[in-house]
């Protein structure tokens, strides 16, 4: 890279290097480099050997793109910058994908190696707190300083006189430090208490292996600690999800409506009071679900309208289909014509009627036209022809929307509502649902049809409502 820089007259401002390992996810130097480039406007060229050295994933690629730098991939002989041709951008994107694949591959290989090690009873990773790595044999052995403290911590916790907090304090008092000499935190203590490895066995990738290393504690002690920890954790603090949370706004103050569970089973929705006190009252989940789903009833079309829709679409479909077929036939004819001409000039060339030069010129011309026609034919074949089956399926869904809704659980209902509605508000325990624009158009049309029929009028009076209108926003 230095030679390249020298040859091109670049001044090297700073060098960044990341050591490649499969298990370390973050690349510190990469981040430092990005930071450097962001703060140094006078430096806008990156030199790197190959794509896979620079980008690990698309996130990296986007980051680099945003830097607006010239990137020289020296070994690949490519210079990349913002206004490079889009086809090159695509190639570049693929290379990033490939390097991502390469890293994943490497990760797989490493994982395989580690599993093989585990099967031999050797802990495949860095020794946990209380053990040390023996680099020569690849084994771990009890840390003479920390192992006794770890054992003591298990024993103390098993007595039931400790919380994680007091146990952490005890650990610090006994001088327990991390490998890097830092004070241990509560999370490391909690983590250590759950490590089976201290009993002589260890868990790797979800599988328990019999280790070859010396145990620090007995299995009985470990099990007792695990039992206590499960009992001490507080399940009542676990978060319960609420299906309709965050989708309705309070009609009085505009805050989002949030949820709460009472006595473990009754779910109430109410204004979050994020903008101070609000007088809105709470509603039950059942009532909210019912109010949110009600507008879906409006999507049901009358039999008359369904028939009309299918006829209209079928007519439109056959019209565009016949146009498409005519266009395609014309191209096919021209293709045959050109093939004839190609054959003719070839014979002319053989018989010496035309020069080789003239033949080549004409031949290229015809072949180019042929290629163009082939491309056009493909385009014609791909052209969208309305698929009646999918139209029928959509109609069927509108007919069932409400009955499907009431049969689902609240989480499925939420998914459905997210597709159909955009803004809903709650005021005086009443919910106003605003359907998405396109969905609302169907509902309005269906409403009108029902009204016409009830007045004994034909639905054709409402046809206008069903034709597409050109929006100002194309
Ligand atoms: Zn409110």
């Amino acid at each position: 890279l230095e030679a390249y820089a020298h040859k091109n007259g670049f001044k090297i401002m700073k060098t960044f290097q990341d050591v490649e390992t499969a298990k370390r996810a973050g690349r510190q130097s990469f981040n430092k480099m990005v930071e450097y480039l962001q703060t140094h406007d006078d430096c806008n060229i990156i030199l790197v050997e190959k794509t896979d050295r620079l980008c690990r994933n698309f996130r990296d690629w986007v980051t680099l793109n945003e830097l607006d730098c010239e990137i020289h991939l020296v070994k690949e002989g490519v210079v990349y910058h913002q206004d490079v041709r889009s086809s090159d951008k695509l190639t570049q994107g693929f290379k990033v994908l490939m390097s991502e694949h390469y890293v994943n591959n490497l990760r797989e290989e490493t994982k395989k190696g580690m599993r093989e090690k585990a099967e031999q009873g050797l802990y495949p990773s860095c020794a946990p707190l209380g053990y040390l790595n023996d680099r020569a044999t690849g084994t771990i052995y009890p840390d003479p300083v920390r192992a006794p403290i770890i054992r003591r911590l298990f024993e103390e916790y098993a007595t039931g006189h400790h919380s994680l907090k007091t146990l952490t304090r005890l650990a610090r008092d006994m001088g327990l430090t991390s490998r890097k000499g830092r004070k241990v935190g509560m999370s490391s203590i909690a983590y250590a208490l759950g490590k089976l490895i201290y009993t002589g066995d260890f868990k790797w990738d979800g599988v328990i292996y019999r280790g070859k290393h010396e145990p620090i504690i007995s299995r009985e002690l470990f099990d007792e600690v695990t039992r206590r920890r499960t009992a001490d954790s507080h399940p009542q603090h676990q978060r319960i999800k609420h299906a309709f949370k965050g989708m309705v706004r309070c009609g009085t103050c505009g805050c989002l409506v949030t949820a709460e569970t009472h006595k473990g089973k009754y779910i109430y929705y109410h204004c979050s009071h994020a903008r101070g006190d609000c007088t809105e009252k709470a509603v039950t989940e059942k009532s909210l679900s019912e109010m949110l789903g009600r507008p879906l009833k409006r999507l049901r079309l009358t039999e008359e309208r369904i028939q009309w829709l299918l006829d209209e679409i079928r007519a439109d479909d056959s019209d565009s289909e016949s146009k498409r077929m005519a266009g395609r036939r014309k191209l096919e004819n021209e293709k045959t014509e050109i093939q004839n001409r190609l054959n003719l000039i070839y014979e002319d060339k053989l018989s010496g009627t035309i020069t080789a030069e003239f033949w080549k010129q004409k031949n290229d011309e015809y072949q180019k036209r042929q290629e163009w026609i082939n491309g056009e034919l493909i385009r014609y074949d791909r052209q969208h022809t309305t698929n009646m089956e999918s139209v029928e399926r959509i109609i069927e869904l509108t007919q069932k929307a409400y009955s499907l809704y009431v049969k689902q659980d609240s989480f499925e209902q939420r998914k459905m509502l997210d597709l159909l509605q955009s803004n809903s508000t709650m005021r005086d325990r009443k919910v106003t649902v605003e359907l998405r624009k396109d969905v609302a158009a169907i509902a309005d049309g269906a409403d009108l049809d029902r009204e016409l029929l009830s007045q004994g009028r034909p639905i054709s009076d409402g046809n206008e409502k069903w034709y597409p209108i050109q929006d100002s926003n194309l």
Side-chain angles (χ1 to χ4, degrees):
L1 292 178
E2 273 167 14
Y4 181 87
H6 182 73
K7 208 175 86 192
N8 288 280
F10 298 147
K11 185 180 158 209
I12 296 177
M13 309 283 283
K14 211 162 163 57
T15 307
F16 299 90
Q17 187 176 358
D18 266 313
V19 179
E20 301 218 9
T21 58
K23 65 182 174 188
R24 224 181 52 195
R27 291 189 303 143
Q28 298 182 335
S29 294
F30 178 85
N31 297 334
K32 277 186 194 146
M33 179 187 75
V34 170
E35 213 173 87
Y36 183 85
L37 288 160
Q38 278 165 344
T39 49
H40 292 75
D41 282 340
D42 55 337
C43 181
N44 52 12
I45 296 175
I46 302 172
L47 299 186
V48 65
E49 276 182 82
K50 290 191 286 182
T51 316
D52 65 5
R53 295 290 148 88
L54 188 61
C55 308
R56 281 306 180 215
N57 50 47
F58 269 105
R59 182 57 241 165
D60 287 355
W61 183 240
V62 173
T63 308
L64 288 169
N65 260 336
E66 283 163 357
L67 283 174
D68 197 13
C69 276
E70 244 182 47
I71 301 169
H72 293 237
L73 303 162
V74 174
K75 272 202 182 159
E76 289 168 12
V78 177
V79 177
Y80 179 82
H81 49 90
Q82 282 305 303
D83 32 44
V84 83
R85 287 205 318 274
S86 58
S87 65
D88 283 352
K89 273 196 185 177
L90 193 67
T91 323
Q92 224 41 52
F94 276 119
K95 279 186 189 155
V96 175
L97 254 189
M98 307 275 280
S99 76
E100 195 161 24
H101 172 77
Y102 163 79
V103 171
N104 286 341
N105 227 350
L106 194 63
R107 210 170 277 149
E108 276 306 307
E109 284 298 308
T110 315
K111 245 176 124 177
K112 206 173 116 203
M114 287 176 148
R115 198 178 58 235
E116 279 164 6
K117 206 176 163 193
E119 277 161 4
Q120 296 164 30
L122 304 174
Y123 189 61
S125 185
C126 203
L129 209 59
Y131 281 103
L132 294 171
N133 285 92
D134 183 344
R135 301 230 172 266
T137 58
T139 54
I140 58 169
Y141 62 96
D143 178 336
V145 180
R146 296 187 182 92
I149 304 177
I150 295 284
R151 186 183 307 124
R152 175 82 189 280
L153 291 177
F154 270 94
E155 287 163 358
E156 287 289 335
Y157 195 79
T159 62
H161 299 316
H162 283 280
S163 66
L164 268 180
K165 209 172 168 183
T166 62
L167 199 68
T168 308
R169 203 177 301 142
L170 179 69
R172 288 182 177 186
D173 289 346
M174 289 192 287
L176 185 65
T177 56
S178 75
R179 211 183 317 273
K180 284 177 181 162
R182 293 207 192 102
K183 275 196 276 184
V184 288
M186 207 154 84
S187 60
S188 344
I189 298 297
Y191 182 70
L193 290 180
K195 275 291 224 183
L196 184 64
I197 193 162
Y198 299 120
T199 66
D201 294 340
F202 63 90
K203 210 170 175 179
W204 184 258
D205 214 9
V207 181
I208 294 172
Y209 296 95
R210 170 123 301 166
K212 279 186 176 160
H213 60 276
E214 190 187 319
I216 292 177
I217 58 164
S218 69
R219 181 63 196 243
E220 289 69 36
L221 181 57
F222 179 82
D223 288 344
E224 174 59 21
V225 167
T226 306
R227 201 188 58 72
R228 275 202 186 277
R229 291 200 61 207
T230 321
D232 287 351
S233 61
H234 305 286
Q236 64 265 37
H237 288 319
Q238 274 169 15
R239 276 175 63 181
I240 297 161
K241 285 190 176 164
H242 299 106
F244 303 121
K245 201 170 152 182
M247 71 177 287
V248 180
R249 280 196 182 277
C250 167
T252 306
C253 72
C255 290
L256 281 173
V257 167
T258 186
E260 225 173 282
T261 305
H262 286 274
K263 293 175 187 159
K265 50 182 173 176
Y266 304 108
I267 301 172
Y268 289 96
Y269 287 82
H270 58 80
C271 172
S272 64
H273 298 265
R275 291 172 197 166
D277 272 350
C278 178
T279 52
E280 269 310 315
K281 301 269 189 319
V283 297
T284 63
E285 178 164 88
K286 191 165 172 283
S287 142
L288 183 62
S289 150
E290 201 270 322
M291 288 190 284
L292 285 168
R294 215 177 282 159
L296 304 191
K297 282 185 192 171
R298 293 177 55 213
L299 293 177
R300 200 180 165 82
L301 312 181
T302 62
E303 286 303 319
E304 292 86 343
R305 183 57 68 190
I306 290 173
Q307 207 44 56
W308 178 85
L309 269 173
L310 291 174
D311 289 345
E312 285 290 306
I313 293 166
R314 221 168 266 139
D316 195 47
D317 212 27
S318 64
D319 190 37
S320 61
E321 179 67 7
S322 59
K323 271 188 199 148
R324 194 177 71 91
M325 290 310 282
R328 205 182 184 288
R329 244 188 330 268
K330 211 173 142 202
L331 284 172
E332 287 280 13
N333 291 341
E334 194 188 342
K335 195 177 160 185
T336 319
E337 170 68 19
I338 288 176
Q339 193 52 52
N340 289 340
R341 284 193 208 170
L342 275 166
N343 295 343
L344 275 177
I345 58 162
Y346 184 67
E347 275 174 34
D348 283 347
K349 183 194 145 200
L350 288 183
S351 65
T353 323
I354 56 170
T355 63
E357 205 177 42
F358 185 67
W359 170 80
K360 194 179 177 318
Q361 187 198 327
K362 278 285 164 196
N363 191 65
D364 286 355
E365 198 179 291
Y366 289 147
Q367 272 186 355
K368 234 180 226 155
R369 181 73 188 164
Q370 240 180 1
E371 272 166 31
W372 178 82
I373 291 173
N374 285 337
E376 281 297 283
L377 285 173
I378 291 171
R379 210 172 58 82
Y380 264 96
D381 291 340
R382 278 195 195 141
Q383 236 170 39
H384 178 73
T385 54
T386 318
N387 183 343
M388 285 309 284
E389 218 175 289
S390 73
V391 171
E392 279 163 12
R393 177 108 185 94
I394 290 165
I395 291 175
E396 194 192 330
L397 275 174
T398 59
Q399 297 308 88
K400 285 185 183 165
Y402 182 71
S403 61
L404 280 174
Y405 179 85
V406 291
K407 276 184 215 148
Q408 310 286 339
D409 69 25
S410 56
F411 290 93
E412 287 301 315
Q413 290 181 340
R414 168 68 188 259
K415 279 188 205 160
M416 216 168 150
L417 290 169
D418 282 343
L419 288 175
L420 301 171
Q421 62 99 49
S422 54
N423 290 307
S424 298
T425 48
M426 184 167 90
R427 189 164 195 165
D428 297 330
R429 288 181 167 150
K430 295 273 176 298
V431 171
T432 314
V433 176
E434 195 177 300
L435 291 172
R436 253 177 45 183
K437 215 173 159 192
D438 44 0
V439 181
I442 297 175
D444 290 346
D447 282 348
L448 178 62
D449 285 346
R450 271 188 289 272
E451 203 188 312
L452 289 171
L453 287 174
S454 75
Q455 293 167 1
R457 287 164 63 192
I459 57 153
S460 56
D461 284 2
N463 280 4
E464 223 172 283
K465 197 131 196 131
W466 288 92
Y467 284 116
I469 342 154
Q470 189 170 310
D471 204 328
S472 62
N473 177 1
L474 279 175

